[in-house]
């Protein structure tokens, strides 16, 4: 099993690239089937979701569009509980079937606030696709994702787009924090 060290923490490989690919394929199949007669707009939450979104979109066979939004609520391994819009939405969502694409849903604050925002902008429907979901941490019931790659307990994870203070997004697998050195 591969391990990696970052900022005094040891992380060990938890989902291999092949396991991630299977999860992505399963989410993509569900979306392709649910949106077969629609033209969804993927709203990708930067920065973390760009890796998952790139893989997911290429497996979805529905006619679709993609746009990006950037918010920030985390620093290090703890949430600040505050959502900041850093890159605003560039695309009109009024009347659109929106699929928010996230790397991980933790407390659900990001999704909760994004959904309220997209509703106010007139989205016709809003669903959430996430690579990872931490059900035990969820604080906002409306943020429960509709499409989930993999569930995880409360551990901190990095890789496949997920960062630790901006680094480690480039890892091809997902690593779980193991111990503090
Ligand atoms: P939420 O708003 O509490 O659901 O947090 C969502 C955001 O927190 C994600 O998009 C990530 O950027 C970040 N996050 C939550 N848990 C982790 C983790 O285990 N590793 C890296 N980032 C995380």
């Amino acid at each position: 099993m591969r391990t990696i060290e970052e900022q005094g923490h040891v992380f060990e490989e938890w989902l291999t690239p092949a396991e991630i690919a299977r999860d992505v394929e399963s989410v993509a199949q569900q979306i392709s089937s649910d949106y077969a007669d629609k033209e969804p707009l993927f709203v990708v939450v930067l920065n973390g979701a760009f890796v998952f979104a790139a893989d997911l979109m290429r497996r979805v066979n529905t006619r679709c569009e993609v746009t990006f939004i950037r918010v920030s609520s985390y620093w290090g391994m703890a949430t600040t509980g505050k959502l900041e819009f850093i890159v605003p939405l560039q695309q009109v969502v009024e009347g659109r079937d929106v699929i928010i694409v996230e790397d991980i849903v933790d407390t659900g604050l990001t999704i909760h606030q994004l959904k309220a925002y997209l509703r106010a902008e007139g989205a016709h429907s809003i669903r959430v696709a996430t690579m990872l979901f931490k059900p035990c941490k969820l604080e906002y019931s409306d943020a429960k994702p509709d499409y989930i790659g993999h569930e995880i307990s409360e551990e901190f994870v990095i890789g496949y787009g997920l960062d630790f203070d901006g680094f480690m997004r480039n890892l091809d697998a997902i690593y779980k924090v193991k111990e503090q050195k």
Side-chain angles (χ1 to χ4, degrees):
M1 184 185 292
R2 292 187 288 179
T3 60
I4 197 157
E5 265 188 62
E6 174 67 12
Q7 298 188 38
H9 297 272
V10 177
F11 291 83
E12 66 184 14
E13 190 175 19
W14 171 62
L15 284 183
T16 65
E19 288 166 335
I20 292 170
R22 275 199 295 274
D23 290 341
V24 172
E25 181 63 36
S26 150
V27 170
Q29 277 182 17
Q30 293 171 60
I31 291 175
S32 298
S33 146
D34 291 352
Y35 289 81
D37 54 354
K38 300 192 172 88
E39 292 188 349
L41 170 64
F42 288 96
V43 173
V44 180
V45 185
L46 295 173
N47 290 328
F50 80 101
V51 180
F52 173 52
D55 285 347
L56 180 65
M57 284 207 64
R58 285 177 294 170
R59 310 301 308 165
V60 167
N61 57 28
T62 294
R63 194 162 186 271
C64 61
E65 283 185 280
V66 64
T67 192
F68 301 88
I69 196 164
R70 186 167 176 204
V71 297
S72 170
S73 66
Y74 268 79
W75 187 248
M77 294 208 287
T79 177
T80 62
K82 229 174 64 197
L83 190 76
E84 241 184 289
F85 281 74
I86 297 167
V87 174
L89 199 60
Q90 308 283 327
Q91 189 124 352
V92 175
V93 295
E94 194 176 346
R96 298 300 304 269
D97 293 306
V98 172
I99 303 174
I100 303 172
V101 182
E102 256 290 27
D103 51 359
I104 186 164
V105 176
D106 185 278
T107 65
L109 174 69
T110 311
I111 294 300
H112 172 73
Q113 297 202 0
L114 268 182
K115 274 187 155 177
Y117 172 72
L118 293 166
R119 259 195 309 270
E121 292 290 307
H124 173 252
S125 70
I126 307 167
R127 286 189 184 163
V128 177
T130 186
M131 179 58 212
L132 299 177
F133 175 41
K134 291 180 178 170
C136 60
K137 297 277 297 286
L138 193 70
E139 290 174 20
Y140 301 86
S141 55
D142 71 330
K144 194 168 180 295
D146 303 279
Y147 307 100
I148 299 164
H150 225 99
E151 290 197 354
I152 178 176
S153 53
E154 57 198 286
E155 298 104 316
F156 190 77
V157 282
I158 56 169
Y160 197 66
L162 291 145
D163 74 309
F164 188 1
D165 285 350
F167 290 88
M168 304 288 124
R169 294 192 198 277
N170 56 314
L171 300 174
D172 65 356
I174 297 177
Y175 289 71
K176 251 184 194 175
V177 69
K178 191 179 163 211
E179 65 189 48
Q180 190 159 4
K181 291 196 89 187

